[in-house]
Amino acid sequence: MARIPSLEDIVDTDQFPLHDPSHPRYKELVDYCRAELADDGCCSVPRFFRPQAIEVATAMVEGLTDKVHRPNEDSTPYGGEIDINLPEGHPRRVTYRRGGGFICADLLDKESALWTFFNSPQVTEFMMTAFETRPLYQYADPLSSMAINSMGDGDEFPWHFDTNELTVSIM
């Protein structure tokens, strides 16, 4: 049986010491993330994950491609039905094609690098600090708590509003 990866196996903790809030680089990373978020509401941290962790996670996801759920549906940016009681041009009266698919969390290996990262208390603490959001709760839905998006040629994921306050995406 393979060993469950540690946070240090997944993240380059020399560069990004998520496990040590007293480390000077931790504060630098928090400051960097806050500046990025203040600039445009998005933060990208290149080379955050170790190459081996990316390879293992990619292999796991590629092994699940036959399980991708592909709804291919029209939707408003808020989800749900068109509200005809609203004026023409209102976002709840406009639909967009959503193409692509996703793999639900219940199909993911609970001993994988992605699962370890997602459930790490150090990661949650870092996110609370960087995003200045307390408390921060993980999405507890057993299917959509950690979804893997799958996009192919011709797929699109139109603009939309999420019901959560923030989203962490791993690309």
Side-chain angles (χ1 to χ4, degrees), residues 20-99:
D20 185 3
S22 66
H23 195 288
R25 286 186 188 237
Y26 187 97
K27 182 179 180 339
E28 289 172 13
L29 182 59
V30 166
D31 291 345
Y32 169 81
C33 291
R34 287 180 180 175
E36 288 271 296
L37 290 166
D39 183 50
D40 64 4
C42 184
C43 176
S44 176
V45 183
R47 293 177 300 283
F48 188 73
F49 292 99
R50 295 189 185 277
Q52 169 110 14
I54 294 170
E55 290 173 18
V56 171
T58 300
M60 178 188 70
V61 171
E62 287 176 347
L64 294 169
T65 56
D66 63 325
K67 306 263 193 258
V68 172
H69 175 70
R70 300 184 61 80
N72 293 321
E73 59 195 16
D74 289 341
S75 179
T76 73
Y78 297 92
E81 302 288 321
I82 291 176
D83 186 342
I84 60 170
N85 297 316
L86 295 169
E88 287 289 329
H90 188 282
R92 289 190 191 265
R93 290 205 54 181
V94 178
T95 62
Y96 296 90
R97 186 74 169 147
R98 177 181 173 172

Side-chain angles (χ1 to χ4, degrees), residues 9 14 19 30 61-62 80 88 99 102 115-116 133-134 159 166:
D9 294 330
D14 294 330
H19 62 293
V30 166
V61 171
E62 287 176 347
E88 287 289 329
F102 53 90
W115 204 263
T116 297
T133 301
R134 288 188 188 274
W159 73 280
L166 64 96

